[in-house]
Amino acid sequence: QVLVEESGGGLVQAGGSLRLSCRATNNIFKIRDMGWYRQAPGKQRDLVATITSDGSTQYAEAVKGRFTLLRDNAKNTIFLQMDNLKPEDTAVYYCNVDLGYGLTQNWGQGTQVTVSS
């Protein structure tokens, strides 16, 4: 129903910045919510930030004030601006697309973010 493509991960030093992009294409349904989740080794996949089609955002406490999520509805794309990165942010970041209708589990393949001390 939807192709989810992530990009922007990489290796950065603590205090640096990265900008993640997620584009949803070839969707059948109108996209409802989009967001980023992350999973570190040995950890569960946790919410980082989500954004609705109306632009309402939700952030994990750990990233508030450092990460900013924006959405381009015309392009079905979200951008996660990650500033002041910390080693604890190291994880594989996955983009999620919620189509509604109970079709919530649409995931990208993930992009690795590694923050060195």
Side-chain angles (χ1 to χ4, degrees):
Q1 293 180 343
V2 59
L3 174 64
V4 183
E5 298 175 292
E6 306 124 322
S7 63
L11 175 64
V12 65
Q13 291 183 318
S17 298
L18 287 172
R19 185 178 177 88
L20 304 184
S21 299
C22 175
R23 181 178 64 185
T25 59
N26 199 33
N27 58 297
I28 298 174
F29 303 98
K30 182 178 180 180
I31 295 175
R32 183 176 179 270
D33 301 339
M34 298 180 69
W36 286 97
Y37 295 70
R38 66 186 181 186
Q39 186 168 20
K43 302 291 185 179
Q44 66 180 4
R45 186 174 298 185
D46 294 326
L47 181 147
V48 177
T50 60
I51 187 166
T52 69
S53 59
D54 294 329
S56 180
T57 54
Q58 179 182 354
Y59 296 93
E61 291 293 331
V63 307
K64 286 182 178 178
R66 300 188 297 117
F67 293 6
T68 304
L69 185 60
L70 300 93
R71 179 166 180 163
D72 185 342
N73 286 330
K75 299 179 179 179
N76 286 327
T77 301
I78 58 171
F79 306 92
L80 184 66
Q81 180 65 42
M82 309 164 67
D83 296 321
N84 192 23
L85 284 161
K86 303 177 180 180
E88 64 194 44
D89 296 318
T90 296
V92 177
Y93 284 68
Y94 297 92
C95 182
N96 172 262
V97 178
D98 182 356
L99 302 177
Y101 310 99
L103 303 175
T104 62
Q105 300 304 307
N106 302 285
W107 298 93
Q109 293 184 340
T111 183
Q112 177 71 49
V113 172
T114 302
V115 184
S116 62
S117 300

